[in-house]
Amino acid sequence: MSVYRQVQVSFWQDAFVLDLTPEEKYFYVYLMTNSKTSQIGIYELPKRVIEMETGYNRETVEKLLQRFKDYKKIDYHEETREIILLNWPKHNWNNSPKIVTRVEKELRDVKHLPFVTVYLTNVESIKSDEVSIQHLYPMDTKRTNKEKEKEKKKEKEIVSDSANQDDLPLPYSEIISYLNTKCITRFRDTTDKTRTLIKARMKEKFTLDDFKKVIDNKSAEWLTDEKMNKFLRPETLFGTKFESYLNEKGGTSHAGDRGSNQPVKQYADGINF
């Protein structure tokens, strides 16, 4: 089966590209169309492969990689030999279910987890034709007004604290959105079972930050474990072991990061080709 990578014809008239040297233009096109490219713009690209496919020697390869890192167009992780094209989602995002499934699979294969954070941050910033990308949910159909009203009604559902009768809005959407972003999942905040679990923990006076802390703790421990990452789900995380998960040590902060590295803000600056 043939694999194709598209380069828009407007690429050649882009202000950034016009200022590149012929060598840089060739290398930039190579980074977008070489044999290792992927649906998400994150892929393993050993420098030896670059040498063989471009004909450049190692010194030139390293010079060009550094130059495009300085241009804030790519990043390269030496240990895993992975490269990320920073504005790839802006020009290649497709929200069809088939593509979303492919994206999720490729994200799980990324070894350098901060690259996943960068990709998700960039996808979240994309707004085209009033469509907002929400945690890689398939969005091939528009929700009807009736469906929106139904979800809005559920969002307003409240639980009364048995001790002081204070009415507290339940942050179903924020909790599940955080789970989907951290764990690369597609759970829905409208599922009855999920809402029941969240409501039960809220009645026990656990807070939104507590939910995020549990997600942080268990994603840090299980996300890269093939046997355990299937348990990164509401049924497991928000069940009877919630308090023990909350008090485990070693979880990351809930600021949207994955692993010990904070997302680099410059990656999401929306720079064009």
Side-chain angles (χ1 to χ4, degrees):
M1 179 178 177
S2 300
V3 178
Y4 300 91
R5 299 294 177 213
Q6 296 181 349
V7 177
Q8 298 178 9
V9 294
S10 59
F11 168 85
W12 299 105
Q13 291 299 315
D14 184 86
F16 171 75
V17 175
L18 287 172
D19 287 339
L20 296 177
T21 66
E23 181 181 56
E24 290 173 333
K25 290 177 181 178
Y26 167 61
F27 192 68
Y28 201 14
V29 172
Y30 168 76
L31 293 179
M32 294 184 287
T33 62
N34 69 79
S35 63
K36 303 295 183 180
T37 54
S38 66
Q39 186 68 45
I40 59 176
I42 304 172
Y43 52 91
E44 189 172 334
L45 185 64
K47 293 178 182 178
R48 178 56 181 160
V49 172
I50 302 176
E51 292 178 55
M52 290 188 296
E53 293 186 336
T54 64
Y56 289 141
N57 58 36
R58 179 59 60 90
E59 181 181 358
T60 301
V61 167
E62 291 183 342
K63 177 191 68 176
L64 288 168
L65 285 174
Q66 184 59 52
R67 192 172 297 172
F68 279 91
K69 287 176 67 175
D70 293 340
Y71 292 153
K72 296 182 175 61
K73 297 298 183 182
I74 69 167
D75 198 2
Y76 190 85
H77 190 247
E78 296 288 345
E79 293 183 9
T80 61
R81 300 184 297 182
E82 289 174 308
I83 192 169
I84 177 173
L85 306 183
L86 297 177
N87 51 357
W88 185 263
K90 181 176 181 180
H91 299 276
N92 294 276
W93 173 257
N94 185 313
N95 56 20
S96 72
K98 184 176 180 180
I99 296 300
V100 169
T101 299
R102 176 70 177 273
V103 166
E104 290 176 334
K105 180 182 182 302
E106 291 187 2
L107 285 175
R108 292 185 185 281
D109 291 335
V110 175
K111 299 174 184 176
H112 186 52
L113 294 184
F115 281 177
V116 176
T117 299
V118 172
Y119 180 87
L120 293 175
T121 300
N122 286 344
V123 168
E124 286 294 320
S125 70
I126 296 172
K127 289 186 178 180
S128 177
D129 298 326
E130 298 183 352
V131 174
S132 176
I133 310 304
Q134 297 184 1
H135 310 290
L136 303 182
Y137 279 169
M139 299 182 66
D140 54 315
T141 59
K142 294 184 178 180
R143 295 181 299 166
T144 64
N145 289 333
K146 187 175 181 180
E147 290 173 332
K148 291 180 181 179
E149 290 175 3
K150 185 177 180 181
E151 289 188 12
K152 189 174 182 180
K153 183 178 180 181
K154 284 191 174 184
E155 278 298 324
K156 291 181 177 180
E157 182 179 351
I158 59 174
V159 58
S160 296
D161 184 274
S162 59
N164 55 28
Q165 297 300 314
D166 289 334
D167 288 335
L168 301 174
L170 297 182
Y172 299 121
S173 179
E174 187 169 354
I175 291 171
I176 298 305
S177 293
Y178 190 78
L179 172 64
N180 287 330
T181 298
K182 291 285 291 188
C183 301
I184 319 174
T185 52
R186 290 196 296 159
F187 293 108
R188 298 185 181 277
D189 61 86
T190 54
T191 305
D192 289 339
K193 176 63 174 178
T194 296
R195 289 189 166 222
T196 297
L197 289 168
I198 292 175
K199 184 184 296 186
R201 303 291 79 79
M202 284 292 187
K203 281 187 175 180
E204 295 169 353
K205 298 186 178 181
F206 290 108
T207 67
L208 173 61
D209 283 345
D210 291 333
F211 279 88
K212 291 184 176 182
K213 180 63 174 176
V214 167
I215 294 169
D216 287 335
N217 286 348
K218 302 318 292 182
S219 63
E221 180 181 355
W222 291 347
L223 188 60
T224 57
D225 188 322
E226 293 183 2
K227 293 183 179 179
M228 298 302 294
N229 60 26
K230 63 183 178 182
F231 295 112
L232 292 170
R233 59 190 183 186
E235 182 179 357
T236 301
L237 299 178
F238 309 151
T240 56
K241 293 184 178 181
F242 185 88
E243 187 171 11
S244 64
Y245 292 156
L246 176 63
N247 287 283
E248 290 179 357
K249 306 297 182 181
T252 61
S253 66
H254 48 258
D257 58 301
R258 295 164 57 86
S260 59
N261 296 305
Q262 295 289 334
V264 180
K265 294 299 182 182
Q266 66 184 20
Y267 290 162
D269 59 4
I271 300 174
N272 294 326
F273 280 134

